[in-house]
Structures are given as structure tokens and as C-alpha cells.
Amino acid sequence: MARLLEGKPIAEKIKEELRQAIINLEHKPVLASIMVGENAGAEAYVKSQKKTAEGLGIVYQFHKLSGDTSEGALIDFIQKLNTDNSVNGIIVQMPLPAKIDYKKISQFILPTKDVEGLHPANIGKIVFGKASILPCTPAAVMELLNSTGVDLYGKEIVVVGHSEIVGKPLSLLLLDKFATVCVCHIGTSKAGKLAEHVKTAEVLIVAVGKAGLIKGEWIKEGAIVIDVGINRVADKIVGDVEFEAAEKRASYITPVPGGVGPLTVTMLMRNLIEAAKLQ
Ligand code: NAD
């Protein structure tokens, strides 16, 4: 039976380190958060960011822009925050209205204030193993793996999902540890090869957003399983992996909720402190 890999205890330990780092800063760090229009999911995430930030002694500066804000007006707003020396980090909440292109927007956040670690300059630094600001979810996954004490060198790792915010940057971080990384995605499933790859994984990380995609019987005996997926099924939140069957085979497995999620927002705050030091 697998050991549960919970995010909260790790997050608490990191938060303690962050509190100490914040005490040593000259000023309380300021995180500027921009939300365009209304969205229940984003509002819940904002609430959790604010609570975590304020619990650490970070100033959470919330800017709510109307739903009809144009792309140009949002860029102007970001640029004002870029030049505001009192602001250490900027986060633009997702989702944005359809007429605004997030990939374009993320390029306008100053790389040293990009607390989500998604500016092309910060993503690019990962390729060279030189990143100081990492995308939050991949950073959370690396912390979870680190907490197991596993040596990733030469390990067979399968990442399912190749998005810009999770799978792609995570694969680079794992390569940097000299793991053998196989990245699966919709093309792998369409080719009927997902099970075949997943079965080889000594470490399996899944970030797709499809409940029950990964069957319990595909899990290699003793594998470490990190489930990033968040799916609402009949009023319950579940991941992408069939948990009950998988936990019988894995050595470690993250619960959903309670695994990756609690660490992601902590990584955002760690990035803010890193950004404050860079400025
Ligand atoms: P995305 O939609 O951008 O990417 C989904 C990925 O899954 C793509 O690479 C796609 O090719 C792949 N995919 C889709 N269907 C597939 C299939 N049938 N078989 C194999 N691969 C398939 O998603 P994202 O933004 O990376 O998020 C993925 C999941 O992770 C979502 O459930 C999201 O809610 C969750 N998430 C959780 C956290 C957290 O903090 N816990 C953070 C970010 C994302």
C-alpha cells in the first residue's frame, strides 16, 4: 500500500523558511494580482493566494479590472506595475476573457517580477539549468519528489501532459536531474500507446484534466505517482489517476485534493521572495 504524499506538511516547512526570509528583507514584499472580469474559480484561487500571502507577511495588492478591458489596456496596466518600484511581483489570474491572448500578455510582465515563472526568459533559463524563478506547479512537483528522498538520476519517468505551464517545463527540470523522461500527451493516447508508456514509469506524473485516464493496473509496482489533475466528478474533486487501484501498487501517491495543490500557492510566494531579491 502506497504512502500518501501530502503537500500541506511540505508547504508548512517551506512557509516557515519564507517567513524568516521576509523578516530579513528591507520592506514587506508586495504581490500585485490582476483579475479581468468575473470567474468563480479564479476568485477562489485569489482568496487562497491572499490568505497565504498575508499569513507570511506579504502585501497582497488586488486589482480587479472590468470584463471589457482590452488587451492593450491590460498591457498598459501591467507596464505601470512593472515600473512601480513598490511592486515586487505580478500575477495575472486565469482565465482571461477570450479576446485577450494570455501567451502575449505573459511576455509583458517584467521577467524579474514574473512570479508565475512563465515569461519566455524564465522558461528559457530552465533549458540552461539557470532558473531562479520556476513555474509554480512544476516546482511543486519537484518538491514532492524531493520529499520522498528518491534519487532521480537515471530513473524512468513518464510525464503525461505537455502544457506550457506543467508538462513541458517539468520535463526540463527532470532532465536536469538526469532522469530518462518520456512525455506523453493526446497524440500518445490517439496512437493507443499511453498504457504501454505508463507501465514503464518508476515515477509517473500526470497533468491532463481527465478523471480516470490512468488505470490502476497500469501502475508499475513501487512507482511514485504524482497526480496534478483536478476534476470535478459528482461534486467531488478527483485527479487523473484511478486512486484506489493505484495506491495498491505505488510506493508513494499524492491525494487529490491535498497533494500538489497546497504546494502550488506556496511556490508562488517563494517566487515572490526570489523576485524581491533579484530587484
Ligand atoms: P492543458 O489543457 O493545458 O493540457 C492538457 C494536456 O493533456 C495536454 O498536453 C494534452 O495533450 C494532454 N491530454 C489531453 N487529453 C489526453 C489524453 N486523452 N491522453 C493523454 N494526454 C492527454 O492542461 P494544464 O493546464 O496543464 O492542466 C492539466 C491538469 O492539471 C488540469 O486538470 C488542471 O486543473 C490541473 N492543474 C493543477 C494544478 C495544481 O496546482 N494542482 C496546477 C495547474 C494545473
Side-chain angles (χ1 to χ4, degrees), residues 137 160-163 165-166 184-186 189 194 207-210 213 228-231 240 260-261 264:
T137 309
V160 188
H162 77 323
S163 70
I165 65 163
V166 191
C184 300
H185 40 71
I186 186 70
S189 272
L194 186 61
V208 171
K210 278 198 169 68
L213 176 71
V228 183
I230 302 175
N231 309 288
D240 294 339
V260 181
T264 306

Side-chain angles (χ1 to χ4, degrees), residues 132-200:
S132 44
I133 298 183
L134 294 176
C136 300
T137 309
V141 171
M142 294 307 283
E143 287 296 336
L144 284 162
L145 289 175
N146 192 34
S147 76
T148 66
V150 66
D151 182 5
L152 297 176
Y153 197 99
K155 279 276 175 312
E156 294 287 332
I157 303 192
V158 175
V159 177
V160 188
H162 77 323
S163 70
E164 284 86 7
I165 65 163
V166 191
K168 282 184 193 166
L170 178 61
S171 310
L172 292 171
L173 292 172
L174 294 166
L175 281 175
D176 225 33
K177 301 286 179 201
F178 292 87
T180 306
V181 185
C182 164
V183 184
C184 300
H185 40 71
I186 186 70
T188 319
S189 272
K190 289 257 160 86
K193 293 187 174 164
L194 186 61
E196 175 187 319
H197 288 294
V198 168
K199 284 177 182 173
T200 66

